[in-house]
Amino acid sequence: MVYSYIKGLVNYAVNKNLIEKDDIVYATNRVLALLKLDDYVDEIAEELELHELLKGITDYAVSKNLINDSITERDIFDTELMAIFTDRPSNVIKKYNVIYAKDKLLATNWYYDFSVATNYIRKDRIQKDVKWKTDTEYGKLDITINLSKPEKDPKAIAAMKNQKASSYPMCQLCKENEGYLGRLNHPARGNHRIIPLHMEGEDFYLQYSPYVYYNEHCIVFNKVHKPMIIDKPTMRKLLSFVDYLPHYFVGSNADLPIVGGSILAHEHFQGGHYHFAMEDAKSIYDFKVDGYPNCSLSIVKWPLSVIRVHSNNKDEIANLAEHILNTWIDYSDEEVSIYAYTDGVRHNTITPIVRKKDGLYEMDLVLRNNLTTEEYPLGLFHPHQEYHHIKKENIGLIEVMGLAVLPARLKNEMAEVKEILLGRAKISEATEKHEAWIKELQAKYQFNEENVDSIVKEEIGKTYAKILENAGVYKMTEEGINHFKKFTKAL
């Protein structure tokens, strides 16, 4: 059967324009080499989905003891298979730039489709993600239970005991990942291709996230491995990026722990072609700041604390963003538990997001604070303990904009919770963390087969809205809004 899978994979590559017909014999031989085969039988091609073709060939590799049967080693092997059909970086860059010169939207369309076709973006895994929208007072929030990012592989963890330590590539964002084989503790990137760009005198690269939390989820990372920082140059880079790709938004995680992203050691931004609920947040208070005549500002109705700025002047909006950031860094309001410093440790920063709309720059500056207290040791403006059964991880850029990235464990746990709500199961070790929430739901609803799924999803979405409210330094109450206005006066 392996020959029919090989032929099917080669035909797939031709059909997706990854290779040309003149490349068929060469590509076939490269696959045979990877499988340690020195013979070939021209069988009828398997007409299957890409992931099925790759599984068929990888199963053969396992059966011949070419690799161990673990998720990690399978991923490394099937990535090497796809690397055979993935063009050299220089050719990919040339193709992208030719299309970009004619049409920026078509350029990103081509690059995204290429990243899917090469299986760098594993569509079969992303399709397993559980997704829905929940109506809240802040609009329709996106809720996702992420199943596409591989869980820690127990076999790989065991094998890593014998693996030599390596610092190459230095992190999962570094440019040296392009074409990298991968190892037990570092993902395979043989089919990974990046696009160079220049912003504010520095070299960056564009890539897509292999986990695609939303449409065309891209990452823009610095050529140099240097730490994340939120400052005026960062604001200017974000503004430059939406000049480069005006149909994309872009944002940066904050630069402090708890309110920042998972990789603070390498400067990077995230963007894409997606409309988040945050974008539709309406103004509840408009104001101006002296010295910035071309900028209009507003507080918008959103669970986190957002100042939205519009301007047609790139220099002025960057200068104003720096002014707001610097004012916020040193700003305290003890009446609402906002402390700029404790014991000399800084707590205030900003999560910035930039879009281009109708010829104007639109910048959302989200005020963040990472203070911890005895009552809230993981963070006062962080998901509170009563919601940890749903999510206890940091609220980063993607969550800030209204897209919940919930842990994979929830899929099975929610299946059990539904059985409990229908009276067919009891609390287990896996669901005891949800016990208080289950009792609340039982008191609030009468459950049946028809409504249990929709109610549980809606209640998860409402819980996520409360989690975002936890992360807001100014609550959307009369008192909170008044204190927020007080901060705007300090500008």
Side-chain angles (χ1 to χ4, degrees), residues 210-392:
Y211 310 116
V212 195
Y213 292 141
Y214 51 84
N215 188 48
E216 293 178 42
H217 176 186
C218 71
I219 298 169
V220 189
F221 64 95
N222 201 307
K223 182 178 181 179
V224 178
H225 181 92
K226 66 177 188 176
M228 300 275 289
I229 185 167
I230 301 297
D231 57 8
K232 181 180 173 182
T234 295
M235 304 297 185
R236 288 195 63 90
K237 289 167 194 170
L238 298 177
L239 293 162
S240 292
F241 182 80
V242 296
D243 285 338
Y244 174 71
L245 292 177
H247 56 290
Y248 274 17
F249 79 89
V250 70
S252 175
N253 267 305
D255 53 352
L256 295 179
I258 298 174
V259 295
S262 57
I263 305 179
L264 294 176
H266 193 140
E267 183 183 33
H268 70 284
F269 315 124
Q270 294 182 77
H273 200 185
Y274 191 69
H275 190 99
F276 290 88
M278 182 193 201
E279 203 173 326
D280 296 324
K282 299 290 186 271
S283 170
I284 56 173
Y285 176 68
D286 297 328
F287 63 102
K288 299 283 281 187
V289 174
D290 291 343
Y292 303 92
N294 296 300
C295 295
S296 55
L297 300 89
S298 58
I299 295 171
V300 300
K301 184 174 181 180
W302 191 246
L304 286 99
S305 308
V306 183
I307 294 174
R308 180 164 290 165
V309 189
H310 287 102
S311 182
N312 61 0
N313 188 310
K314 184 176 180 178
D315 292 331
E316 192 172 301
I317 195 172
N319 290 338
L320 175 56
E322 180 188 35
H323 171 58
I324 293 170
L325 172 67
N326 290 339
T327 305
W328 175 244
I329 283 172
D330 292 323
Y331 187 83
S332 293
D333 188 343
E334 296 179 11
E335 289 181 19
V336 284
S337 301
I338 294 171
Y339 296 88
Y341 300 89
T342 57
D343 300 323
V345 176
R346 176 187 145 201
H347 297 301
N348 288 348
T349 186
I350 277 175
T351 299
I353 299 140
V354 177
R355 310 173 195 93
K356 210 163 190 184
K357 286 187 169 180
D358 303 321
L360 295 177
Y361 296 105
E362 179 177 273
M363 180 179 279
D364 284 349
L365 300 170
V366 187
L367 308 181
R368 311 298 302 274
N369 178 289
N370 75 348
L371 179 70
T372 58
T373 66
E374 277 190 31
E375 188 180 359
Y376 298 106
L378 295 180
L380 176 59
F381 304 107
H382 177 85
H384 288 179
Q385 283 92 322
E386 63 263 37
Y387 305 127
H388 284 185
H389 66 106
I390 298 296
K391 182 177 174 71
K392 64 180 179 181

Side-chain angles (χ1 to χ4, degrees), residues 180-232:
Y180 186 66
L181 172 66
R183 55 182 189 268
L184 295 175
N185 62 349
H186 196 101
R189 292 290 181 255
N191 54 356
H192 179 42
R193 298 294 180 267
I194 56 181
I195 303 295
L197 59 140
H198 201 66
M199 299 191 300
E200 300 299 312
E202 294 184 56
D203 291 323
F204 280 79
Y205 292 96
L206 172 69
Q207 68 169 72
Y208 288 108
S209 165
Y211 310 116
V212 195
Y213 292 141
Y214 51 84
N215 188 48
E216 293 178 42
H217 176 186
C218 71
I219 298 169
V220 189
F221 64 95
N222 201 307
K223 182 178 181 179
V224 178
H225 181 92
K226 66 177 188 176
M228 300 275 289
I229 185 167
I230 301 297
D231 57 8
K232 181 180 173 182

